[in-house]
């Protein structure tokens, strides 16, 4: 089989630009590769000195649906956007010294959803799909299984330890990923009471938007979309007045934004709903921010209006500048939430641009913080049935064609394909000839093997990249719910803190405690 393919490639099918070499000349010289590898080795040897400080700050970047094929393709895209061939480019997350694998299954699902997984990497326990902030004894959509099954998140543990806490997402702030940080809900779709069945409301279950403001007193930074879930039903949206589909959804008639503004009126607290308001704030004068930039999810970064909507990177910048003022440090959850949506729609270009934007935010967060006191983890909740292949040549545009034709239907195919999804397309009973269409446009839906209106998640492990204090504890193949245990351990928050009290210098508290112990010892000697 391989022989046949090689034969095809070697038998004169052309790729790349004729006359232009496929790769730089220097790569023909072994010393190029040897030098590069040797300098990587030198860096790796530095890692023998483990960073065992206590993490003052914790940042989790969650690429929703950012499986490993997505990471690789986003890397190539990032390189190609800056005029390189792409494969050799380093993403910001690629620069993290430690990488592990995360097993993403939910308690009741081999292929996970974003709610059960969020409960795992935020609350530290695996849970059923569709549920947030409740353990696996809770059943999806059954209100009466909530009580007694609530589990708390690392965001809460951090708040209780005196840290500032924040949530930044490109989805609704009450979407599955962020909601597990503050809500306990048996149904991820209960965005507001307008989406809840009457029985669940009668039985005392609370919608997720409401829990955002009621469960954890004063989350310091909340930024993303989801405005409509905060306003009374039929209330027009500030940005799209008169557009019914963006009207408020709350049946209880509450205005959660007004309630928040009112409750915070004696604090340095600001509600903003567009980029201009956000960028005009001086973070030094802001202690609390509620930024709701769209009625639902934010727009894809490729479609964002840069005058009215902030980018993920801009939101992260403001968030960190507000949060880092707390001398006790902070916990920040950042979600690149629409990588997942791009894939579900079969729109690989949207998904990959979302991933590149999250990577940009990771780079900026690195500049605003310090690896000596900040642990940063980048991971995904689950993968997708997204793939790219087809023996493409070096530097082939990531949205381009494989350099061959199918030996079955004689038609070309794109390197990016989906296992299932809306891109399945048959023309006159046969697979579409992609050469007759523009497969590089933003909303092109790559071909899928099985027709499905929404492409599905994938079941394989996802990567965990980590840097900063205790990052080396993310080092192998782990269950996804291990992640917040490590982060809490690194920051000396939550339950597992015995090591923080030891005076052997195993933590950043170590030096302070060691001198305290020395003083006490002296005291003991002299008195
Ligand atoms: C919980 O509610 C479901 C309906 O959602 C019902 O079938 C079940 O009997 C209830 N269980 C208890 C213990 O009340
Ligand atoms: C919203 O508007 C619809 C139709 O205009 C009306 O039937 C309904 O009673 C209104 N709901 C509220 C809560 O005002
Ligand atoms: C596919 O479309 C291209 C461009 O129109 C055409 O040249 C080619 O012959 C087509 N291939 C097949 C197998 O129909
Ligand atoms: Zn999804």
């Amino acid at each position: 089989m391989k022989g046949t393919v090689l034969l095809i490639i070697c038998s004169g099918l052309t790729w790349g630009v004729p006359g232009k070499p496929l790769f730089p000349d220097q790569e023909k010289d072994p010393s190029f590769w040897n030098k590069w590898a040797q300098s990587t080795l030198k860096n790796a040897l530095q890692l023998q000195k483990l960073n065992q400080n206590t993490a003052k700050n914790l940042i989790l970047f969650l690429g929703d649906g950012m499986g490993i094929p997505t990471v690789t393709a986003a890397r190539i895209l990032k390189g190609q956007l800056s005029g390189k061939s792409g494969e050799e480019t380093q993403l910001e997350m690629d620069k993290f010294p430690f990488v592990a694998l995360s097993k993403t299954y939910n308690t009741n699902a081999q292929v996970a959803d974003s709610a059960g997984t969020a409960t795992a990497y935020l609350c530290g326990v695996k849970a059923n799909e569709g549920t947030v902030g409740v353990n696996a004894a809770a059943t999806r959509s059954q209100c009466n299984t909530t009580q007694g099954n609530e589990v708390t998140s690392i965001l809460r543990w951090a708040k209780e330890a005196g840290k500032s806490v924040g949530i930044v997402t490109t989805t609704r702030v009450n979407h599955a990923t962020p909601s597990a940080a503050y809500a306990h809900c048996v149904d991820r779709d209960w965005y507001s009471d307008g989406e809840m069945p009457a029985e669940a409301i009668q039985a005392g279950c609370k919608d997720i938007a409401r829990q955002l403001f009621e469960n954890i007193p004063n989350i310091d930074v909340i930024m993303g979309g989801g405005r409509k879930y905060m306003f009374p039903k039929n209330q027009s949206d500030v940005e799209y007045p008169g557009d019914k589909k963006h009207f408020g959804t709350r049946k209880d008639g509450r205005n959660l934004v007004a309630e928040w503004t009112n409750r915070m009126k004696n604090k340095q607290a600001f509600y903003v709903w567009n980029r201009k308001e956000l960028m005009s704030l001086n973070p030094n004068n802001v202690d609390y921010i509620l930024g709701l930039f769209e009625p639902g999810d934010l727009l894809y970064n490729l479609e964002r209006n840069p005058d009215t909507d902030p980018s993920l990177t801009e939101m992260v910048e403001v968030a960190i500048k507000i949060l880092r003022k707390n001398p006790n440090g902070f916990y920040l959850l950042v979600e690149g939430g629409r990588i997942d949506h791009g894939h579900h729609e079969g729109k690989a270009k949207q998904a990959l641009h979302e991933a590149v934007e999250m990577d940009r935010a990771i780079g900026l967060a690195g500049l605003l913080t310090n690896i000596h006191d900040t642990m940063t983890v980048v991971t995904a909740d689950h993968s997708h049935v997204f793939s790219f292949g087809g023996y493409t040549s070096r530097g082939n545009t990531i949205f381009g064609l494989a350099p061959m034709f199918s030996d079955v239907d004689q038609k070309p195919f794109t390197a990016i394909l989906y296992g299932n999804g809306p891109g399945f397309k048959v023309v006159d009973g046969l697979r579409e000839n992609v050469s007759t269409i523009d497969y590089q446009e933003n909303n092109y839906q790559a071909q899928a093997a099985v027709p499905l209106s929404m492409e599905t998640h994938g079941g394989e492990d996802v990567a965990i990249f980590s840097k900063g204090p205790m990052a080396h504890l993310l080092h192998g193949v782990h269950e996804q719910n291990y992640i917040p245990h490590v982060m809490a351990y690194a920051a000396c928050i939550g339950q597992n803190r015995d090591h923080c009290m030891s005076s052997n210098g195993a933590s950043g508290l170590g030096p302070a405690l060691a001198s305290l112990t020395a003083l006490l010892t002296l005291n003991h000697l002299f008195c």
Side-chain angles (χ1 to χ4, degrees):
M1 207 50 204
K2 185 125 194 239
T4 324
V5 169
L6 276 178
L7 199 73
I8 294 170
I9 291 177
C10 299
S11 67
L13 263 164
T14 53
W15 61 90
V17 183
K20 186 184 173 238
L22 277 177
F23 56 90
D25 247 11
Q26 60 185 10
E27 294 187 19
K28 293 178 183 165
D29 180 352
S31 76
F32 168 81
W33 297 105
N34 289 332
K35 267 191 212 148
W36 191 350
Q38 286 295 322
S39 99
T40 307
L41 178 61
K42 220 174 124 203
N43 289 338
L45 287 166
Q46 296 289 314
L47 294 174
Q48 288 174 24
K49 272 186 270 152
L50 296 176
N51 181 344
Q52 306 214 54
N53 298 340
T54 296
K56 178 181 168 194
N57 311 314
L58 298 172
I59 307 178
L60 178 64
F61 280 94
L62 193 287
D64 196 318
M66 190 181 69
I68 292 173
T70 298
V71 172
T72 311
R75 174 192 302 140
I76 294 172
L77 173 59
K78 185 170 182 169
Q80 293 183 345
L81 288 171
S82 63
K84 306 204 176 76
S85 65
E87 300 82 1
E88 68 296 320
T89 297
Q90 263 196 313
L91 288 169
E92 294 297 334
M93 63 186 103
D94 293 341
K95 298 174 189 166
F96 285 31
F98 297 96
V99 179
L101 290 180
S102 170
K103 297 165 66 183
T104 64
Y105 67 94
N106 295 144
T107 43
N108 64 346
Q110 186 174 72
V111 178
D113 95 316
S114 295
T117 52
T119 307
Y121 61 76
L122 291 170
C123 305
V125 300
K126 288 221 179 203
N128 292 326
E129 62 179 341
T131 67
V132 290
V134 288
N135 65 39
T139 307
R140 183 172 191 169
S141 308
Q142 282 201 18
C143 171
N144 62 8
T145 64
T146 312
Q147 209 178 15
N149 290 325
E150 297 90 345
V151 290
T152 59
S153 76
I154 186 168
L155 182 135
R156 184 189 278 269
W157 312 336
K159 187 75 182 172
E160 285 170 354
K163 294 185 187 300
S164 292
V165 296
I167 291 168
V168 174
T169 179
T170 50
T171 66
R172 290 155 267 189
V173 293
N174 49 350
H175 202 250
T177 296
S179 67
Y182 57 82
H184 312 286
C185 196
V186 290
D187 199 318
R188 58 177 285 177
D189 296 328
W190 293 354
Y191 294 117
S192 77
D193 62 346
E195 288 76 33
M196 288 175 70
E199 315 86 78
I201 298 174
Q202 267 149 29
C205 277
K206 292 182 187 165
D207 66 87
I208 296 171
R210 193 178 149 190
Q211 293 192 49
L212 171 62
F213 299 103
E214 293 180 359
N215 285 4
I216 297 177
N218 302 341
I219 294 174
D220 304 77
V221 167
I222 303 170
M223 279 192 259
R227 224 158 36 213
K228 66 181 173 184
Y229 304 106
M230 315 299 167
F231 291 99
K233 206 164 176 70
N234 294 357
Q235 181 166 326
S236 187
D237 184 76
V238 59
E239 190 176 358
Y240 308 95
D243 189 341
K244 285 225 159 86
K245 86 169 178 279
H246 297 309
F247 279 10
T249 64
R250 300 200 65 81
K251 285 198 247 173
D252 60 11
R254 287 173 65 174
N255 178 332
L256 299 180
V257 171
E259 288 180 26
W260 183 89
T261 313
N262 202 35
R263 184 154 46 87
M264 308 297 272
K265 65 172 177 287
N266 296 324
K267 299 186 159 71
Q268 303 264 59
F270 298 85
Y271 168 66
V272 295
W273 65 267
N274 60 55
R275 180 182 181 274
K276 201 169 149 230
E277 289 179 346
L278 177 71
M279 301 317 270
S280 69
L281 293 174
N282 176 352
N284 292 329
N285 304 327
V286 180
D287 293 331
Y288 300 93
I289 186 168
L290 172 60
L292 299 172
F293 303 106
E294 286 292 329
D297 299 323
L298 303 194
L299 300 178
Y300 285 126
N301 198 49
L302 277 179
E303 283 159 12
R304 182 172 62 88
N305 179 338
D307 295 326
T308 57
D309 299 321
S311 68
L312 182 60
T313 304
E314 287 168 340
M315 292 193 288
V316 165
E317 175 169 8
V318 175
I320 292 177
K321 286 181 174 170
I322 292 171
L323 295 171
R324 71 177 180 187
K325 293 185 297 175
N326 184 337
N328 294 322
F330 65 83
Y331 174 87
L332 174 62
L333 168 66
V334 181
E335 184 195 18
R338 305 211 66 207
I339 301 167
D340 182 66
H341 297 172
H343 281 325
H344 279 308
E345 293 191 82
K347 298 175 179 172
K349 190 163 181 177
Q350 298 285 6
L352 296 184
H353 276 269
E354 292 297 303
V356 168
E357 173 59 22
M358 188 177 86
D359 193 62
R360 200 161 75 89
I362 293 167
L364 185 81
L367 294 176
L368 294 175
T369 56
N370 175 329
I371 54 158
H372 299 297
D373 68 3
T374 302
M375 182 192 208
T376 307
V377 175
V378 179
T379 190
D381 45 1
H382 54 72
S383 186
H384 272 269
V385 293
F386 161 87
S387 69
F388 76 98
Y391 303 105
T392 43
S393 59
R394 180 79 179 272
N396 198 59
T397 165
I398 189 66
F399 305 115
L401 297 177
M404 61 175 75
F405 301 98
S406 163
D407 59 355
V408 178
D409 68 11
Q410 279 69 52
K411 289 177 192 153
F413 58 96
T414 54
I416 287 176
L417 296 168
Y418 287 96
N420 59 47
F424 176 92
K425 197 161 177 205
V426 165
V427 179
D428 298 331
L430 297 166
R431 185 172 74 89
E432 185 175 44
N433 179 350
V434 289
S435 283
T436 64
I437 51 149
D438 180 6
Y439 49 81
Q440 306 226 28
E441 55 124 351
N442 292 355
N443 290 311
Y444 171 67
Q445 295 172 302
Q447 289 185 345
V450 171
L452 213 52
S453 55
M454 284 253 287
E455 177 265 6
T456 71
H457 296 171
E460 82 276 11
D461 298 347
V462 297
I464 313 170
F465 305 82
S466 62
K467 70 175 178 183
M470 302 291 174
H472 53 278
L473 299 179
L474 289 160
H475 65 102
V477 181
H478 302 299
E479 294 289 351
Q480 190 166 45
N481 66 300
Y482 173 63
I483 295 170
H485 290 261
V486 171
M487 296 183 77
Y489 181 91
C492 285
I493 61 171
Q495 289 184 348
N496 178 8
R497 298 197 327 226
D498 290 351
H499 67 289
C500 308
M501 296 306 137
S502 75
S503 56
N504 62 5
S507 77
L509 289 177
L513 278 175
S515 39
L516 188 65
T517 314
L519 262 177
L520 288 174
T521 314
L522 278 176
N523 202 35
H524 184 73
L525 281 177
F526 286 105
C527 307

